[in-house]
Amino acid sequence: MSDKKLWSGRFSQPTDAFVEAFTASVEFDRRLYRYDIAGSIAHARMLARAGILSEQERDAIVNGLTKIQQRIEADGFEWSVKLEDVHMNIESALTDEIGYAGKKLHTGRSRNDQVATDIRLWLRDEIVEIRQGVLKLQHALLDIALKEADTIMPGFTHLQTAQPITFGHHMMAWFEMLERDRERLADCSRRMNVMPLGAAALAGTSYPIDRHYSARLLGFERPSENSLDSVSDRDFAIEFSAAAALIMMHLSRMSEELIIWSSAQFAFIELSDSFCTGSSIMPQKKNPDVPELIRGKSGRIFGHLISLLTLMKGQPLAYNKDNQEDKEPLFDSVDNVKGSLRIFADMIPAISCRRDNMRTAATKGFATATDLADYLVRQGTPFRDAHEIVGRAVSHCVEKACELSDLSLQELQAFSPEIGKEVFEILTLEGSVAARNHVGGTAPDQVRAAIERARVRLSEQ
Ligand code: ARG
């Protein structure tokens, strides 16, 4: 393959070898080859339709590019750092392949609009896959939520026992976080689906191009409105990175809970052996490495968001080479978000719940204290007074090292004469969760209804 630089006309000295390697992006942007070729094919078809290329030239270009794609996919393509990036590697190979017509492909375009188009095309596809990954995890959560709709556990605030909830309700909280993540991705994809091609270097081109036609060929919603904006802004990449950061933030929170719950001190769940590893020194260990690693990976994804924001913030219009730095953070975010989602979707169904331990934990820590206060309110006590009364009862229990339900009716009545024997119903865990019986509440029937609505929502999309 010829290594002659496609822009060498103006230059009399060769590029310094280190500069050449330093400025090249082909090592990573070759990953965009499929989209680069798709963009070029659409561009060639548009040029022929506008009478800028002959039909023979168009066919030669399309066939040549198709062959190059096959060669790349068969690992028979030689990438050259001297040719800097994926765009010039492919264009140069095309001219080697088909000769004269290959040199006409770049008519009316620039690498600036080319790369902006390639990344959008690539990211659009990746978002489809990531959304599928989120969806798969959501289905896994719905399944476990249904299975554990009646499973009682302590709910926490400040990681202190607050009120009893069901494990199913907890899983549905995770589901909702992911539902917003999936919407965010769709929203970002919609805004991104605008075609930069035709903006050329920055000002547009003097050829009679038909941008609506190429936009149609590439499945873009429409051509972009402003050529300067099209080649320079990477806000779509930043938006995606923010959505990716939020997904990882959610996965990281979920991981944290899985880690806590699988500790010997909590022992609420057991993770499957396939998602844990042992210790080289402590024979008893089964470490939740997978959730820990996902929690750890969130850091780099947040970092990529900041990288891209920083990359963009000082750039004058229009294209600057700074933008070449957009790719590695984006690629890394996509790979790690996809991987984390995939592993999570496999890990969730393999969780076994230690229901007895969850239930026992919920009986400790006065989880039904609010229920007792609510009961007093129903008996006619104002809530503030009820709060005070139950607070004193709890303090008494702390001294006696017992739970509220361990007190006799007489002992309870010492705190309020309003208390009757039906209070013991109120103090049960089942009574407590069943009482939260409204949309969004933790009552098992409400959890099942929420699962049902969620399944409908997912099937409608
Ligand atoms: N490799 C470059 C990038 O990723 C392609 C565009 C280069 N354009 C230029 N005028 N140097 O941004």
Side-chain angles (χ1 to χ4, degrees), residues 3 13 19 22 26 49 70 76 80 105 109 136 139-140 187 192 197-198 219 221 274 307 319 331 344 363 366 385 412:
D3 274 345
Q13 308 248 325
V19 169
F22 189 76
V26 66
R49 196 163 183 261
Q70 284 160 358
S80 159
L105 171 64
R109 76 168 186 189
K136 191 167 172 227
H139 278 296
D187 188 45
M192 168 192 321
L197 204 59
E221 175 92 14
S274 358
S307 299
Y319 176 87
F331 293 163
F344 237 95
T363 60
F366 312 104
D385 293 343
L412 282 166

Side-chain angles (χ1 to χ4, degrees), residues 25 29 84-85 87 110-112 115 234 319-321 323-324 326-327:
S25 54
D29 68 11
E84 200 175 315
D85 54 28
H87 324 291
S110 150
R111 276 184 297 154
N112 298 352
V115 70
R234 296 290 183 268
Y319 176 87
N320 303 282
K321 181 80 165 179
N323 278 346
Q324 182 164 293
D326 64 355
K327 289 167 205 64

Side-chain angles (χ1 to χ4, degrees), residues 369-383 385-391 412 415-420 423 426:
T370 315
D371 296 272
L372 180 55
D374 289 345
Y375 165 77
L376 287 172
V377 169
R378 285 196 299 277
Q379 306 296 98
T381 313
F383 184 78
D385 293 343
H387 188 285
E388 172 73 25
I389 290 166
V390 178
L412 282 166
F415 294 98
S416 166
E418 306 288 336
I419 298 178
V423 71
I426 301 295

Side-chain angles (χ1 to χ4, degrees), residues 17-313:
F18 185 71
V19 169
E20 193 167 73
F22 189 76
T23 52
S25 54
V26 66
E27 286 308 329
F28 48 87
D29 68 11
R30 53 198 267 192
R31 173 172 175 160
L32 296 171
Y33 78 88
R34 216 149 36 90
Y35 301 95
D36 195 69
I37 288 175
S40 290
I41 288 179
H43 182 64
R45 290 197 199 284
M46 183 281 291
L47 289 177
R49 196 163 183 261
I52 302 162
L53 287 183
S54 72
E55 287 183 1
Q56 291 79 350
E57 287 165 338
R58 175 200 61 201
D59 292 345
I61 289 174
V62 172
N63 292 336
L65 287 170
T66 310
K67 268 198 210 135
I68 289 169
Q69 173 155 350
Q70 284 160 358
R71 235 176 31 234
I72 295 173
E73 282 164 5
D75 241 350
F77 189 88
E78 215 181 295
W79 298 97
S80 159
V81 171
K82 287 193 182 323
L83 291 168
E84 200 175 315
D85 54 28
V86 61
H87 324 291
M88 291 199 288
N89 266 269
I90 291 176
E91 189 190 325
S92 175
L94 178 70
T95 303
D96 289 349
E97 178 83 29
I98 66 168
Y100 189 69
K103 297 194 199 176
K104 294 193 169 186
L105 171 64
H106 213 53
T107 313
R109 76 168 186 189
S110 150
R111 276 184 297 154
N112 298 352
D113 58 345
Q114 199 178 346
V115 70
T117 304
D118 290 4
I119 312 172
R120 279 174 164 83
L121 288 171
W122 166 78
L123 195 51
R124 198 175 69 182
D125 277 3
E126 293 292 356
I127 288 179
V128 171
E129 282 193 32
I130 295 174
R131 289 190 80 230
Q132 276 162 359
V134 176
L135 190 65
K136 191 167 172 227
L137 173 54
Q138 286 182 294
H139 278 296
L141 289 172
L142 290 180
D143 291 344
I144 193 167
L146 187 62
K147 210 166 84 191
E148 308 295 341
D150 294 291
T151 305
I152 288 176
M153 69 183 280
F156 301 94
T157 60
H158 315 270
L159 203 57
Q160 310 286 321
T161 298
Q163 290 171 353
I165 56 168
T166 62
F167 192 77
H169 195 52
H170 200 113
M171 292 298 102
M172 289 304 286
W174 290 3
F175 174 91
E176 289 298 328
M177 301 175 187
L178 294 169
E179 183 65 1
R180 290 191 295 278
D181 285 329
R182 219 160 48 83
E183 280 171 16
R184 249 186 297 274
L185 287 171
D187 188 45
C188 143
S189 176
R190 183 183 55 76
R191 220 181 334 277
M192 168 192 321
N193 200 20
V194 168
M195 186 190 72
L197 204 59
L202 76 163
T205 173
S206 55
Y207 298 94
I209 58 173
D210 180 352
R211 299 186 66 216
H212 289 280
Y213 180 68
S214 14
R216 244 190 345 270
L217 289 181
L218 292 170
F220 282 110
E221 175 92 14
R222 57 181 169 85
S224 58
E225 285 292 334
N226 182 288
S227 62
L228 297 173
D229 174 48
S230 316
V231 291
S232 70
D233 214 321
R234 296 290 183 268
D235 58 355
F236 70 91
I238 296 174
E239 217 181 315
F240 166 78
S241 302
L246 285 169
I247 293 176
M248 291 306 291
M249 180 274 289
H250 284 150
L251 294 184
S252 178
R253 294 186 67 191
M254 297 174 196
S255 296
E256 172 71 7
E257 294 193 311
L258 293 177
I259 294 162
I260 293 177
W261 292 342
S262 57
S263 69
Q265 289 67 24
F266 270 76
F268 284 5
I269 61 163
E270 183 149 6
L271 292 172
S272 149
D273 284 359
S274 358
F275 298 93
C276 297
T277 57
S279 155
S280 54
I281 170 168
M282 297 167 283
Q284 85 284 12
K285 293 280 272 182
K286 178 174 160 185
N287 296 327
D289 285 42
V290 168
E292 287 172 73
L293 190 58
I294 291 175
R295 185 178 59 185
K297 277 181 186 293
S298 62
R300 69 205 264 179
I301 310 298
F302 298 174
H304 295 331
L305 170 61
I306 295 295
S307 299
L308 291 180
L309 282 166
T310 314
L311 169 70
M312 206 70 243
K313 79 178 267 287

